[in-house]
Amino acid sequence: MATTDDVARIDHPLLTPGFLERRLYQLQLAGTAQEADTLVCLPTGLGKTTVSLLVTAERLESVGGKALFPAPTKPLVQQHADFYREALQIPDEEIVVFTGEVSPDDRAALWDSATIVIATPQVVENDLVGNRISLSDVTHLTFDECHRATGDYAYVYIAERYHADAE
């Protein structure tokens, strides 16, 4: 564990050195989430996205594959992509954003070369239905604002496909 300015930092091969402060509760939540489906409920600002990032980094390092992170709005998708690009030592072009502003053909091509896809859920659902993407090599899936996962919302379909298709 590296320290900077007397603050403990998280050390991981895929994390930008010194970027994340070591917070035990986040590490414990990430440890749990690495082992099983997990719902993380924390007040705003306490690091739900950091927990997802820690699990993503560990899964990519230990298993490989691809990570998928749907978020309900374009601004949230962009916010998460910016955070992941800053926090991870993965080339920026391997952390891709899928919204309705990216054409379906472009998304299909980007999917193959991406390590992390951060997207609006409707786009992911449409690409799954259109067979432009496959979740077979997705080794970590985070749903931002998962309380939306009811009824016909795209999260429900994505979760069903993930459990059916992912190895």
Side-chain angles (χ1 to χ4, degrees), residues 137-154:
D137 63 343
V138 173
T139 58
H140 180 65
L141 172 61
T142 294
F143 291 103
D144 188 34
E145 297 191 17
C146 65
H147 62 278
R148 297 170 181 261
T150 62
D152 291 333
Y153 192 69

Side-chain angles (χ1 to χ4, degrees), residues 87-159:
L88 290 170
Q89 295 194 95
I90 293 175
D92 285 356
E93 63 273 9
E94 292 182 27
I95 301 173
V96 300
V97 168
F98 283 11
T99 65
E101 294 174 1
V102 181
S103 77
D105 289 339
D106 289 344
R107 291 194 307 263
L110 286 169
W111 179 267
D112 291 333
S113 63
T115 300
I116 300 172
V117 176
I118 304 172
T120 54
Q122 295 80 9
V123 164
V124 174
E125 181 180 39
N126 290 340
D127 287 349
L128 286 167
V129 169
N131 291 316
R132 286 182 288 276
I133 65 171
S134 167
L135 301 180
S136 64
D137 63 343
V138 173
T139 58
H140 180 65
L141 172 61
T142 294
F143 291 103
D144 188 34
E145 297 191 17
C146 65
H147 62 278
R148 297 170 181 261
T150 62
D152 291 333
Y153 192 69
Y155 280 178
V156 176
Y157 179 74
I158 296 166

Side-chain angles (χ1 to χ4, degrees), residues 41-111:
C41 296
L42 291 171
T44 299
L46 289 184
K48 294 178 290 291
T49 305
T50 299
V51 171
S52 174
L53 176 85
L54 293 170
V55 177
T56 298
E58 185 55 32
R59 295 293 291 175
L60 293 175
E61 176 69 14
S62 64
V63 181
K66 186 181 307 289
L68 175 61
F69 190 167
T73 66
K74 287 189 275 187
L76 274 174
V77 166
Q78 192 58 56
Q79 177 183 327
H80 295 319
D82 292 344
F83 177 67
Y84 271 51
R85 287 178 180 137
E86 190 174 1
L88 290 170
Q89 295 194 95
I90 293 175
D92 285 356
E93 63 273 9
E94 292 182 27
I95 301 173
V96 300
V97 168
F98 283 11
T99 65
E101 294 174 1
V102 181
S103 77
D105 289 339
D106 289 344
R107 291 194 307 263
L110 286 169
W111 179 267

Side-chain angles (χ1 to χ4, degrees), residues 1-12 15 17-24 27:
M1 172 173 51
T3 59
T4 304
D5 299 329
D6 294 328
V7 175
R9 302 288 174 169
I10 297 174
D11 185 30
H12 186 278
L15 294 177
F19 184 76
L20 291 177
E21 288 185 22
R22 186 181 189 283
R23 295 186 177 146
L24 185 57
L27 294 170

